[in-house]
Amino acid sequence: MNFNIDAINSILTRKHGDVSSVKVLEWHVDDITEVACINCTTRVSRLIIHYRILGENNSAPIQEICFVKMPTEGFLYESAISMDLYNKEIVMYTTVLPQMYSIEKKYMTPRLCYFNDKMTLALKDLSQSGYKCADRIQKLDIEHCIYALQCLAKFHALSVKLEKTTSLPDSVKFNPYCNTGADKTLNSLLAKQIPIFIDSLPRNLKEMYPNFISHLNTLSAEKIINALNDSSSSKFNVLIHGDFSINNIMFKYDKYGLVRKAKLIDFQFTRWSSPASDLLYFFITCMKFEVYLRYFPLLMNVYFNALNKVLRQLDCPKYDMRSVLKEMDTLYPYALYVLSGILPCIICDPNIAADSKGFLENVYKQDHYREISVKWCEHLAKKGTLRIDEEYHSD
């Protein structure tokens, strides 16, 4: 881990403004990644600093804890480099998110403590303030979904204001799937994933929905990127999170165990696009399927009420829900990719490394993934859309 006393002083300077009166007693870095080859693009560690303020009589040592992210190695690292994900996140934490804070005066994300040119980020550890991720296997209930979508809506609305007033950096607006080599990498992944995914599906499902299986068999990087580009041509675009999964939302609870706040983490896949992309990703990767079936109209209203409330406060025009609902249909190839290629990596056993032999076969065999994937396949095969209320099909 690339930390030295200069980096430690830089972190403390952000907090105290002057380190001449600060004496660092000791610091160390603990690796908190579940396994060395966890299925994400970054290695995660915790930096713990103990220090004392000089001149304060009998002052107890102070503890500062940071959540540290740095590039990992192997296949996922190469993919992240080809899509320029690390630099994108650094720009988010050093430029865009501070600008959002200057408008909102509240942090929706961890605060930046330190970064360097080796693409290492040190962020305020939200877990020290009581935030934690929900169970990725159990997925989100309706209460968690409401807080998550309200937080996302605020993030989207603030990005509209920034684009209107200062213009967001091109690096965070650019679609990472369109980077040089990304389409080849994606096609290579799909060629491996799709046959194994189809093979994992129950025989009766494949026999009942041959057209759906045909869509899967012909899924390509070109279709996915075209769908994303169509979404990017929306009349109303925002800076989407791009990886709005259950692993990238942290929740805070009250003394009764009820969720009260949500914050976002991980901004490597941001791009300027329709909010439909984030919403689709959220529905498939975050919530219990039963919650989706029962509360889809309610949750769409929760998101749009929160979005338009903030847009009004920021003197920006509000947006109509029906356009986003229609845009979800254009993202059908992307929905298939999220279901077959992204969701299994999000909820799989972390001890099954993404670059290991037999990774795909092991992931698709997991009972909890098979259960949720079959439900989604049946729904998408029948409807061909994420919309479930007939009211939303009208023009």
Side-chain angles (χ1 to χ4, degrees):
M1 185 63 67
N2 299 309
F3 276 96
N4 53 35
I5 192 61
D6 291 335
I8 301 305
N9 284 334
S10 176
I11 291 171
L12 296 178
T13 298
R14 281 181 176 266
K15 183 173 183 178
H16 295 283
D18 179 14
V19 293
S20 61
S21 61
V22 173
K23 180 180 180 180
V24 177
L25 303 177
E26 64 96 16
W27 58 272
H28 63 276
V29 178
D30 297 330
D31 185 19
I32 58 175
T33 305
E34 294 178 78
V35 290
C37 296
I38 193 169
N39 303 302
C40 57
T41 57
T42 50
R43 176 183 169 189
V44 180
S45 301
R46 182 171 283 116
L47 170 65
I48 302 175
I49 309 168
H50 290 99
Y51 64 98
R52 179 177 282 118
I53 304 297
L54 299 176
E56 295 186 3
N57 295 329
N58 301 319
S59 66
I62 303 172
Q63 181 173 263
E64 179 73 9
I65 302 179
C66 298
F67 185 78
V68 181
K69 301 179 64 178
M70 68 176 296
T72 184
E73 298 178 351
F75 166 73
L76 289 177
Y77 169 75
E78 297 298 332
S79 299
I81 289 296
S82 73
M83 301 172 84
D84 202 30
L85 302 185
Y86 298 119
N87 287 322
K88 183 187 286 276
E89 187 162 40
I90 285 176
V91 174
M92 283 297 298
Y93 276 110
T94 58
T95 304
V96 177
L97 295 175
Q99 289 176 338
M100 287 186 176
Y101 172 75
S102 69
I103 298 172
E104 176 64 16
K105 304 304 180 186
K106 292 180 182 179
Y107 284 102
M108 297 178 294
T109 69
R111 285 176 285 169
L112 176 68
C113 297
Y114 170 83
F115 76 98
N116 66 21
D117 57 5
K118 292 183 172 61
M119 298 179 287
T120 297
L121 283 166
L123 308 166
K124 190 69 177 178
D125 189 349
L126 291 179
S127 66
Q128 301 304 304
S129 302
Y131 285 87
K132 60 182 180 179
C133 287
D135 189 317
R136 59 202 174 106
I137 306 301
Q138 294 298 320
K139 299 181 144 309
L140 301 183
D141 58 21
I142 182 63
E143 287 79 12
H144 284 81
C145 288
I146 288 172
Y147 278 93
L149 286 172
Q150 287 174 336
C151 187
L152 179 70
K154 186 175 293 185
F155 174 77
H156 286 169
L158 289 169
S159 74
V160 172
K161 180 66 174 180
L162 288 180
E163 177 66 8
K164 180 180 178 181
T165 55
T166 63
S167 186
L168 291 162
D170 289 340
S171 59
V172 304
K173 293 166 60 177
F174 185 74
N175 184 350
Y177 289 97
C178 294
N179 263 340
T180 302
D183 56 341
K184 293 182 180 179
T185 301
L186 185 54
N187 264 328
S188 177
L189 277 173
L190 291 170
K192 296 176 183 177
Q193 289 174 332
I194 297 302
I196 300 174
F197 174 67
I198 292 175
D199 187 59
S200 73
L201 297 175
R203 181 177 178 179
N204 66 321
L205 188 147
K206 289 184 280 189
E207 292 175 347
M208 287 178 64
Y209 305 108
N211 289 338
F212 175 73
I213 300 303
S214 177
H215 278 301
L216 285 170
N217 272 318
T218 59
L219 191 62
S220 65
E222 181 181 7
K223 287 186 177 181
I224 294 169
I225 292 171
N226 285 343
L228 293 174
N229 286 338
D230 285 345
S231 179
S232 298
S233 63
S234 165
K235 293 181 180 179
F236 177 80
N237 282 333
V238 299
L239 186 67
I240 67 169
H241 183 281
D243 189 13
F244 192 48
S245 74
I246 194 168
N247 295 341
N248 292 332
I249 312 166
M250 298 188 74
F251 298 95
K252 190 170 185 178
Y253 303 84
D254 63 19
K255 63 181 181 179
Y256 303 106
L258 301 175
V259 62
R260 288 293 176 256
K261 295 180 181 179
K263 291 193 177 185
L264 310 179
I265 60 174
D266 286 354
F267 295 90
Q268 296 182 338
F269 283 91
T270 62
R271 59 184 182 273
W272 191 246
S273 187
S274 166
S277 297
D278 268 349
L279 293 170
L280 174 152
Y281 202 99
F282 177 78
F283 289 131
I284 294 178
T285 67
C286 290
M287 65 178 63
K288 297 176 185 290
F289 186 73
E290 293 72 20
V291 171
Y292 164 75
L293 288 180
R294 183 175 180 181
Y295 294 110
F296 177 81
L298 169 66
L299 290 172
M300 290 297 293
N301 278 302
V302 164
Y303 168 80
F304 274 94
N305 287 341
L307 176 76
N308 287 323
K309 177 181 178 181
V310 178
L311 287 174
R312 285 194 300 271
Q313 293 171 347
L314 299 176
D315 195 29
C316 296
K318 68 177 185 177
Y319 192 59
D320 177 33
M321 184 197 312
R322 292 181 180 275
S323 296
V324 167
L325 288 164
K326 291 180 180 179
E327 285 159 10
M328 283 186 177
D329 291 347
T330 69
L331 287 167
Y332 188 71
Y334 183 55
L336 297 180
Y337 169 60
V338 172
L339 174 61
S340 63
I342 295 178
L343 180 60
C345 295
I346 290 173
I347 66 173
C348 76
D349 182 339
N351 291 293
I352 306 174
D355 54 359
S356 65
K357 185 177 181 180
F359 167 73
L360 292 173
E361 291 87 345
N362 288 325
V363 167
Y364 293 137
K365 287 178 181 177
Q366 295 179 106
D367 289 341
H368 59 272
Y369 175 70
R370 284 173 60 85
E371 180 181 356
I372 188 65
S373 67
V374 168
K375 290 178 179 178
W376 270 110
C377 283
E378 289 178 337
H379 175 75
L380 291 174
K382 290 176 182 177
K383 296 285 188 178
T385 177
L386 266 73
R387 298 181 290 170
I388 59 176
D389 192 321
E390 291 304 319
E391 174 190 349
Y392 295 127
H393 288 273
S394 63
D395 294 325

